[in-house]
């Protein structure tokens, strides 16, 4: 079962785009470009990113 987490390995600010890219098996650059488009399209991208950064849990990688 897949779960949506903020990425700890592919992150620029909070790891939201990296986590979404991992969940949908996409390139994180494409997800980041979509966020930027939404940012300039009425500012909805910024609000959505901040909400996702607050709500999404972190991916906890426990490495031996």
């Amino acid at each position: 079962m897949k779960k949506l987490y903020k990425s700890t390995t592919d992150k620029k600010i909070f790891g939201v785009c990296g986590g979404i890219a991992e969940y949908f098996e996409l390139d994180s650059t494409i997800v980041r470009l979509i966020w930027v488009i939404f940012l300039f399209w009425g500012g909805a991208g910024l609000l959505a990113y901040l909400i996702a950064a607050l709500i999404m849990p972190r991916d906890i990688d426990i490495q031996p």
Side-chain angles (χ1 to χ4, degrees):
M1 184 173 172
K2 292 189 336 182
K3 291 191 176 185
L4 182 61
Y5 291 105
K6 290 187 281 188
S7 178
T8 56
T9 56
D10 185 15
K11 67 183 209 174
K12 299 293 181 189
I13 300 176
F14 292 111
V16 173
C17 293
I20 291 172
E22 290 173 9
Y23 183 79
F24 290 110
E25 298 176 4
L26 297 170
D27 184 15
S28 60
T29 304
I30 294 170
V31 176
R32 288 184 180 103
L33 286 173
I34 292 169
W35 281 109
V36 169
I37 290 169
F38 281 125
L39 175 67
F40 289 115
W41 188 30
L46 180 62
L47 181 62
Y49 189 89
L50 292 175
I51 290 171
L54 292 172
I55 293 175
M56 287 173 59
R58 285 186 297 168
D59 180 18
I60 302 172
D61 288 335
I62 300 174
Q63 308 246 343

